[in-house]
């Protein structure tokens, strides 16, 4: 398709490009059909469905406890949060009280897993902009977190640890000082990330004023999590609608400020995640300090979980945003219906709105700033 520009005989030519689903910078099996005029993106359309898992339909044929491993595999970078949201939904329907120790352990493992997830987001974002070293640094810190989680529950990635009524195993006492030591060292490492990447002139040039997401557009598209907070809206379910025992902890909710460009640009979305890591450290420290003794699983919870007939919806603040479960029970040992509200699904839908007019190279940076996980988009 050719169009005359009106300047002599210079013509522009539009072209359709397929980016993905095998492209290494699309953060999963995402295919983006890009309409370009030279190096300028005129429009783009994300195509999903290459990782479809049928999670919601499978849940109708599994018992309530058998569903837990499937939740791990949605957002596999923050699987503890998936476990937690599902367990809380079933417990809400059953009006089940969870022991205090289990509540604190849940917070510890979920926030540690949030740190590990953000380390992947930060490290791979460095790769997207041409910086290799930050990725290895971030991977180093993530590995330390995964070793803690593996010691606690025996798995590195898909944990199936937070169960209906509590957690699968108790937190080993000898692990607590090791976690505290890591938190102290990790805080210093975050300063290193800022020096190495966050305030690097080239990185700022690649991310500032790129992919600006106005807060009203974010709300219209249902964007949540760091991508929404980067647009200036201080919305965090851990603060706004506290679940578990988050209301007992003191922590801040970082938002985008336009420090290096425009509020809601790629740099803000990256920086909100860096600052959230510092808040995770605060939460875990408080949870460790106040960790009580006692049971780690609710008494009277048998393998055959049978919630009463009814339905409920509950959402948690996952690493990528609001993860919600809508559960319908017919009083049997299997869900009648289970629907997951995946934050990455809404977040990726805003991609065309914030990509028009950018360069093709910037499109990679914009996709990376949304920090999507295709496992939960396709479910």
């Amino acid at each position: 398709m050719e169009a005359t520009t009106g300047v002599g005989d210079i013509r522009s030519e539009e072209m359709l490009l397929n980016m993905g689903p095998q492209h290494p910078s699309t953060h999963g099996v995402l295919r983006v059909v890009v309409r370009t005029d030279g190096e300028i993106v005129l429009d783009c359309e994300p195509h999903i469905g290459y990782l479809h898992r049928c999670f919601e339909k499978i849940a109708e044929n599994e018992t309530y406890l058998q569903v837990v491993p499937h939740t791990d595999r949605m957002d596999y970078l923050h699987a503890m949060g998936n476990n937690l949201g599902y367990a809380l939904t079933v417990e809400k329907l059953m009006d089940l009280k969870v022991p205090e120790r289990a509540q604190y352990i849940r917070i510890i493992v979920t926030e540690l897993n949030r740190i590990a997830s953000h380390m992947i987001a930060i490290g791979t974002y460095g790769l997207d902009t041409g910086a290799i070293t930050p990725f290895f640094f971030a991977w180093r810190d993530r590995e330390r977190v995964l070793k803690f989680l593996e010691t606690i529950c025996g798995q590195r990635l898909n944990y199936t640890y937070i169960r209906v009524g509590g957690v699968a195993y108790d937190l080993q006492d000898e692990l607590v000082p090791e976690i505290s030591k890591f938190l102290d060292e990790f805080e210093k490492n975050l300063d290193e990330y800022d020096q190495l990447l966050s305030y690097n002139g080239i990185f700022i040039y690649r991310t500032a004023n790129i992919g600006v997401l106005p807060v009203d557009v974010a709300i219209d598209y249902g964007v949540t999590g760091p991508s929404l907070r980067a647009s200036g809206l201080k919305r965090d379910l851990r603060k706004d609608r506290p679940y578990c025992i988050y209301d007992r902890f003191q922590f801040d909710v970082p938002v985008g400020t336009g420090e290096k460009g425009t509020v809601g640009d790629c740099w803000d979305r990256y920086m909100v995640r860096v600052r959230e890591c510092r808040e995770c450290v605060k939460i875990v420290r408080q949870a460790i300090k106040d960790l009580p003794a006692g049971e780690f699983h609710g008494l009277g919870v048998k393998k055959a979980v049978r919630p009463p007939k009814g339905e409920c919806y509950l959402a948690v603040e996952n690493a990528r945003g609001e993860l919600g479960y809508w559960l319908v029970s017919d009083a049997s040992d299997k869900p009648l219906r289970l629907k997951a509200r995946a934050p990455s699904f809404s977040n990726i839908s805003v991609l065309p709105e914030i990509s028009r007019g950018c360069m093709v190279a910037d499109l990679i940076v914009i996709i990376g700033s949304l920090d999507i996980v295709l496992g939960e988009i396709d479910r």
Side-chain angles (χ1 to χ4, degrees):
M1 184 187 302
E2 293 188 352
T4 304
T5 64
V7 183
D9 59 353
I10 299 176
R11 295 175 179 272
S12 63
E13 182 177 351
E14 293 183 10
M15 180 171 57
L16 286 180
L17 293 177
N18 273 296
M19 182 182 294
Q22 77 291 341
H23 196 288
S25 291
T26 52
H27 292 251
V29 281
L30 170 69
R31 173 177 170 236
V32 183
V33 179
V34 188
R35 185 162 62 91
T36 69
D37 180 359
E39 284 289 312
I40 304 298
V41 175
L42 300 178
D43 204 357
C44 70
E45 183 179 358
H47 288 254
I48 61 175
Y50 294 92
L51 196 63
H52 193 48
R53 297 184 44 78
C54 302
F55 159 70
E56 294 160 343
K57 190 63 181 177
I58 289 174
E60 298 175 12
N61 300 283
E62 304 278 354
T63 66
Y64 282 94
L65 295 184
Q66 288 174 333
V67 172
V68 177
H70 296 286
T71 66
D72 284 311
R73 288 153 176 83
M74 290 195 301
D75 181 355
Y76 40 79
L77 296 180
H78 194 204
M80 287 293 188
N82 300 349
N83 292 171
L84 179 61
Y86 173 73
L88 289 173
T89 306
V90 178
E91 289 160 5
K92 179 180 178 181
L93 199 56
M94 296 176 66
D95 194 23
L96 179 65
K97 184 175 176 60
V98 177
E100 282 286 294
R101 182 173 177 83
Q103 294 273 28
Y104 278 85
I105 294 174
R106 284 178 169 188
I107 298 296
I108 292 169
V109 296
T110 300
E111 293 305 316
L112 284 174
N113 202 191
R114 192 187 308 273
I115 290 174
S117 176
H118 283 343
M119 284 297 99
I120 285 290
I122 292 165
T124 56
Y125 203 47
L127 289 179
D128 290 338
T129 56
I132 297 176
T133 304
F135 174 77
F136 292 112
F137 281 36
W139 198 269
R140 169 201 62 194
D141 289 329
R142 177 178 180 265
E143 278 297 304
R144 293 186 65 183
V145 173
L146 294 190
K147 286 180 180 178
F148 291 139
L149 299 179
E150 184 179 12
T151 302
I152 293 170
C153 63
Q155 293 286 345
R156 279 175 49 85
L157 201 62
N158 298 314
Y159 306 107
T160 317
Y161 177 66
I162 299 177
R163 310 285 180 86
V164 178
V167 295
Y169 312 102
D170 200 0
L171 175 65
Q172 300 91 325
D173 291 335
E174 61 272 16
L175 206 57
V176 172
E178 294 184 29
I179 295 175
S180 296
K181 180 182 177 183
F182 163 75
L183 296 176
D184 294 339
E185 295 172 355
F186 179 62
E187 270 192 318
K188 297 176 183 177
N189 292 345
L190 286 173
D191 295 333
E192 195 172 50
Y193 292 127
D194 285 344
Q195 295 172 6
L196 189 63
L197 186 63
S198 306
Y199 295 101
N200 180 292
I202 297 174
F203 180 76
I204 293 172
Y205 181 78
R206 289 297 311 278
T207 57
N209 297 312
I210 302 295
V212 177
L213 175 58
V215 67
D216 57 332
V217 176
I219 293 172
D220 288 344
Y221 276 83
V223 175
T224 55
S227 295
L228 173 62
R229 292 191 283 276
S231 296
L233 183 61
K234 187 176 285 191
R235 174 177 171 81
D236 189 316
L237 296 183
R238 295 172 296 174
K239 283 278 191 181
D240 299 341
R241 288 187 290 175
Y243 51 93
C244 285
I245 53 173
Y246 275 107
D247 53 349
R248 303 182 189 180
F249 304 113
Q250 298 294 321
F251 64 98
D252 298 321
V253 179
V255 296
T257 60
E259 179 183 338
K260 295 300 177 181
T262 307
V263 174
D265 60 12
C266 287
W267 191 88
D268 268 347
R269 285 193 286 276
Y270 158 84
M271 202 60 194
V272 162
R273 295 184 179 94
V274 175
R275 290 168 177 161
E276 278 191 3
C277 287
R278 298 185 186 275
E279 304 308 314
C280 293
V281 170
K282 293 180 184 177
I283 296 172
V284 176
R285 275 194 182 130
Q286 294 172 69
I288 287 175
K289 179 177 176 290
D290 299 332
L291 181 64
E295 296 290 335
F296 61 89
H297 202 289
L299 298 177
V301 179
K302 301 178 180 179
K303 290 185 178 181
V305 175
R306 293 175 181 269
K309 189 175 181 180
E311 62 180 86
C312 71
Y313 176 82
L314 188 141
V316 296
E317 190 67 40
N318 243 30
R320 265 142 286 278
E322 181 178 320
L323 171 67
Y325 290 97
W326 175 61
L327 178 63
V328 181
S329 169
D330 59 356
S332 70
D333 63 345
K334 299 176 182 178
L336 179 64
R337 185 75 176 92
L338 180 63
K339 174 71 172 68
R341 191 268 178 201
S344 290
F345 182 82
S346 297
N347 294 356
I348 193 60
S349 67
V350 82
L351 180 63
E353 291 285 346
I354 61 178
S355 299
R356 298 186 186 106
C358 74
M359 306 287 283
V360 173
D362 293 335
L363 183 58
I364 296 298
V365 175
I366 294 171
I367 294 173
S369 73
L370 295 172
D371 187 28
I372 56 171
V373 169
L374 268 296
E376 71 170 20
I377 290 177
D378 293 340
R379 294 189 300 289

